[in-house]
C-alpha cells in the first residue's frame, strides 16, 4: 500500500470514528484496520483533546472527550442528551440483562424476543393499562434506543432484538452497581406515571445514564 493509500485509509478511519462507533461485527475489515492504525489515530486525536476508546474483547471502539477537557471550554464531541424516564428505564433493564447473560452464558450475542422487552417494562408501569397502547409505547422506546445504537432488530419480522455490546460502555460499572437503587426509583416513579401519556409527560423525570 503506497503513501496515498495509507493517508486515505487513515482519513476513512478518522471520519468513521467521528460519525459513529466502529464495530467488529458490523465491519470486520474496518475493525482490523482500526487495530492496525490505533497508535497513529490516538496520537492524532490527542491533539484534538479526544481519546480513542477500544474495547478489543467486546469488539467496538468510539471517541470521547478527554477527561476534564469539557471544563476547559472545549465543545463536546457528542452532546449530552437528557433521557426520558421510559428510555432510561429500558437502557437500565437491557444493561442488567447483559450482565446476567455475561455471568451465565458463553455466548457473545444477546438476543431477546420483543415481547420479553415489553414484559420487562410492564413491571414498572401501573397495572390495568391499555395493553395495545402500552405495546405501541414500548416499541417507540425501543426505536429510540435503536437510534442511539444500542439495539438491532433481527429478521424480516423484527420480532427478535439484539442488545449491542456498546451499551456496556454507555452504562458503566459504577452506574450498574447502583442499578437496584435506580430500579426502585423507577418502580416508585411508576406509581404516579401515566404510561399512556404523550412524550412530553415522559420528560417529567429526565436524567442521564452516562
Amino acid at each position: 500500500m503506497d503513501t496515498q493509500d495509507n493517508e486515505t485509509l487513515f482519513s476513512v478511519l478518522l471520519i468513521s470514528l467521528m460519525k459513529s462507533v466502529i464495530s467488529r461485527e458490523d465491519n470486520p475489515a474496518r475493525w482490523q484496520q482500526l487495530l492496525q492504525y490505533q497508535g497513529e489515530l490516538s496520537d492524532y486525536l490527542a491533539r484534538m483533546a479526544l481519546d480513542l476508546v477500544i474495547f478489543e474483547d467486546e469488539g467496538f471502539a468510539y471517541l470521547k472527550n478527554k477527561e476534564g477537557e469539557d471544563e476547559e471550554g472545549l465543545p463536546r464531541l457528542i452532546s449530552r442528551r437528557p433521557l426520558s424516564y421510559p428510555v432510561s428505564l429500558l437502557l437500565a433493564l437491557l444493561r442488567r440483562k447483559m450482565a446476567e447473560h455475561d455471568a451465565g452464558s458463553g455466548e457473545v450475542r444477546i438476543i431477546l424476543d420483543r415481547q420479553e422487552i415489553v414484559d420487562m417494562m410492564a413491571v414498572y408501569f401501573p397495572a390495568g393499562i391499555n395493553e395495545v397502547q402500552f405495546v405501541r409505547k414500548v416499541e417507540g422506546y425501543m426505536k429510540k434506543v435503536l437510534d442511539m445504537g444500542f439495539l438491532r432488530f433481527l429478521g424480516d419480522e423484527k420480532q427478535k432484538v439484539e442488545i449491542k455490546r456498546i451499551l456496556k460502555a454507555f452504562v458503566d460499572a459504577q452506574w450498574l452497581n447502583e442499578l437496584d437503587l435506580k430500579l426502585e426509583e423507577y418502580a416508585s416513579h411508576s406509581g404516579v406515571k401515566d404510561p399512556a401519556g404523550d412524550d412530553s409527560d415522559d420528560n417529567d423525570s429526565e436524567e442521564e445514564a452516562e
Side-chain angles (χ1 to χ4, degrees), residues 42-119:
S42 294
D43 292 343
Y44 185 89
L45 290 163
R47 296 162 59 189
M48 302 168 64
L50 296 174
D51 279 331
L52 171 60
V53 181
I54 301 178
F55 283 66
E56 193 162 347
D57 291 343
E58 302 286 352
F60 59 82
Y62 61 95
L63 299 182
K64 71 171 188 177
N65 286 74
K66 285 186 173 294
E67 294 294 333
E69 293 293 340
D70 54 338
E71 298 171 359
E72 301 295 330
L74 295 175
R76 293 186 61 80
L77 180 64
I78 299 174
S79 300
R80 292 179 183 271
R81 292 185 297 179
L83 302 177
S84 68
Y85 155 68
V87 173
S88 179
L89 169 62
L90 179 54
L91 288 172
L93 294 173
L94 293 174
R95 183 63 179 90
R96 183 173 69 175
K97 201 71 178 177
M98 178 181 287
E100 292 172 350
H101 173 89
D102 290 348
S105 172
E107 293 290 329
V108 174
R109 300 180 70 186
I110 309 166
I111 298 174
L112 308 175
D113 291 324
R114 291 173 71 114
Q115 185 59 45
E116 190 174 352
I117 293 179
V118 172
D119 293 342

Side-chain angles (χ1 to χ4, degrees), residues 59-178:
F60 59 82
Y62 61 95
L63 299 182
K64 71 171 188 177
N65 286 74
K66 285 186 173 294
E67 294 294 333
E69 293 293 340
D70 54 338
E71 298 171 359
E72 301 295 330
L74 295 175
R76 293 186 61 80
L77 180 64
I78 299 174
S79 300
R80 292 179 183 271
R81 292 185 297 179
L83 302 177
S84 68
Y85 155 68
V87 173
S88 179
L89 169 62
L90 179 54
L91 288 172
L93 294 173
L94 293 174
R95 183 63 179 90
R96 183 173 69 175
K97 201 71 178 177
M98 178 181 287
E100 292 172 350
H101 173 89
D102 290 348
S105 172
E107 293 290 329
V108 174
R109 300 180 70 186
I110 309 166
I111 298 174
L112 308 175
D113 291 324
R114 291 173 71 114
Q115 185 59 45
E116 190 174 352
I117 293 179
V118 172
D119 293 342
M120 287 195 306
M121 292 285 284
V123 173
Y124 296 92
F125 285 81
I129 59 177
N130 183 298
E131 184 175 351
V132 173
Q133 290 184 1
F134 179 67
V135 170
R136 191 174 300 148
K137 280 278 188 181
V138 173
E139 289 177 344
Y141 307 143
M142 291 168 61
K143 176 65 167 53
K144 290 181 180 178
V145 173
L146 179 143
D147 291 341
M148 296 169 71
F150 300 130
L151 279 182
R152 183 205 321 265
F153 292 129
L154 303 175
D156 295 337
E157 301 297 324
K158 299 183 178 179
Q159 292 304 309
K160 296 286 186 181
V161 179
E162 180 177 4
I163 306 174
K164 300 187 74 171
R165 302 204 66 87
I166 184 65
L167 179 61
K168 190 173 185 177
F170 182 76
V171 182
D172 62 19
Q174 180 178 352
W175 200 86
L176 186 62
N177 288 336
E178 299 169 353

